[in-house]
Amino acid sequence: MDNPSKIIEGGIEYSLGRFDGKCVHYDFEKILVYLDAKGKLLFGKNFKIYKKDKKILLKLCSYFIRDKATCDKYEIDIEKGILLSGPVGCGKTSLMKLLRHLVPAQRTYEMIPCRNVTFSFNHLGYKTIEEYGSSRFFCFDDMGVEPPGRFYGKDLNVMGEVLLSRYDLFLETNRKVKTHATTNLNAEELEERYGNRVRSRMRELFNLVAFDQNARDKRK
């Protein structure tokens, strides 16, 4: 029988905790060792897990492994998606790319840059809204700084429409369809960008997990 508490990467077996035959009792420190190793495989040898990010990682890991007790402590709803916010270069995109590997048996999500969604709309029109308003799982990267959408002379806030579609789907499927996103913007800036109606839907779609605004730019 497979042991879901172990993952093999690059020929090395990593233990994430203890499997009792029914469920995995995860060990956060062991998860961090695995994420550091997997991060180096995905992003190169300079990738590292920073001590300052441990609290953010604890929240995110607890969410992905569905640790309800820890999620309740941080007021995270396991059924909603994650909106990971923070300054440019703090590692949001890398973490969301990395964390989808943590529970291989779980349905994963595609990482889609928001600017790609807008570019697609500009070429294909409303078909794009249907495509991203589908029951696939997505993480929309860099939300709020994508260019405006325009198709046959008509302007549209494309990501706003996609989020409204995904909110409707979230309700229709009894909260089974997950939407995640990353953003550099704060709540006020998001509201300014997408309007009050989208912002209120976002509160119901997402758990907000935020880096400190002074988090360092790890790309420097």
Side-chain angles (χ1 to χ4, degrees), residues 177-202:
V177 171
K178 287 279 200 305
T179 307
H180 307 296
T182 72
T183 185
N184 304 330
L185 306 187
N186 62 32
E188 290 74 31
E189 291 166 327
L190 284 169
E191 188 160 324
E192 201 175 297
R193 180 76 172 78
Y194 295 115
N196 180 263
R197 182 169 168 239
V198 173
R199 175 73 187 118
S200 76
R201 300 292 189 270
M202 285 172 73

Side-chain angles (χ1 to χ4, degrees), residues 31-66:
I31 287 175
L32 292 180
V33 170
Y34 165 70
L35 290 177
D36 189 66
K38 182 67 176 176
K40 284 177 169 59
L41 288 173
L42 288 174
F43 310 117
K45 65 181 191 309
N46 291 332
F47 176 85
K48 65 184 275 193
I49 298 287
Y50 291 84
K51 266 192 182 148
K52 277 187 174 172
D53 296 342
K54 275 178 88 168
K55 189 168 181 183
I56 283 263
L57 275 163
L58 176 61
K59 291 178 183 179
L60 292 170
C61 291
S62 300
Y63 170 84
F64 283 106
I65 64 175
R66 299 180 72 83

Side-chain angles (χ1 to χ4, degrees), residues 35 85 105 140 173 204:
L35 290 177
S85 79
F140 295 110
T173 60
E204 296 183 56

Side-chain angles (χ1 to χ4, degrees), residues 14-203:
Y14 294 90
S15 169
L16 304 181
R18 178 176 57 81
F19 182 53
D20 66 7
K22 288 183 182 172
C23 66
V24 178
H25 301 272
Y26 286 94
D27 179 323
F28 181 54
E29 293 301 324
K30 288 180 176 177
I31 287 175
L32 292 180
V33 170
Y34 165 70
L35 290 177
D36 189 66
K38 182 67 176 176
K40 284 177 169 59
L41 288 173
L42 288 174
F43 310 117
K45 65 181 191 309
N46 291 332
F47 176 85
K48 65 184 275 193
I49 298 287
Y50 291 84
K51 266 192 182 148
K52 277 187 174 172
D53 296 342
K54 275 178 88 168
K55 189 168 181 183
I56 283 263
L57 275 163
L58 176 61
K59 291 178 183 179
L60 292 170
C61 291
S62 300
Y63 170 84
F64 283 106
I65 64 175
R66 299 180 72 83
D67 174 352
K68 194 166 182 320
T70 307
C71 285
D72 286 350
K73 179 182 167 187
Y74 291 111
E75 297 181 344
I76 293 170
D77 182 339
I78 288 172
E79 303 312 320
K80 293 182 183 182
I82 292 288
L83 174 59
L84 186 57
S85 79
V88 172
C90 67
K92 301 179 296 294
T93 304
S94 298
L95 284 186
M96 290 307 284
K97 284 181 175 174
L98 177 59
L99 285 160
R100 58 186 173 171
H101 297 281
L102 186 55
V103 187
Q106 250 179 44
R107 185 174 169 186
T108 191
Y109 49 88
E110 296 170 61
M111 294 287 297
I112 306 286
C114 288
R115 66 176 182 276
N116 290 16
V117 179
T118 302
F119 292 151
S120 172
F121 174 81
N122 293 349
H123 290 292
L124 303 170
Y126 288 87
K127 206 171 116 185
T128 300
I129 310 291
E130 285 173 34
E131 183 186 342
Y132 291 111
S134 70
S135 58
R136 284 149 66 199
F137 288 16
F138 293 110
C139 178
F140 295 110
D141 194 32
D142 232 359
M143 197 164 72
V145 294
E146 69 277 2
R150 180 161 246 222
F151 187 67
Y152 281 110
K154 184 170 164 44
D155 291 339
L156 188 77
N157 191 325
V158 180
M159 277 312 303
E161 289 300 318
V162 167
L163 290 172
L164 290 173
S165 293
R166 293 196 68 78
Y167 171 76
D168 290 342
L169 197 65
F170 181 63
L171 294 186
E172 283 163 23
T173 60
N174 198 19
R175 307 174 88 203
K176 296 224 169 18
V177 171
K178 287 279 200 305
T179 307
H180 307 296
T182 72
T183 185
N184 304 330
L185 306 187
N186 62 32
E188 290 74 31
E189 291 166 327
L190 284 169
E191 188 160 324
E192 201 175 297
R193 180 76 172 78
Y194 295 115
N196 180 263
R197 182 169 168 239
V198 173
R199 175 73 187 118
S200 76
R201 300 292 189 270
M202 285 172 73
R203 286 191 193 98

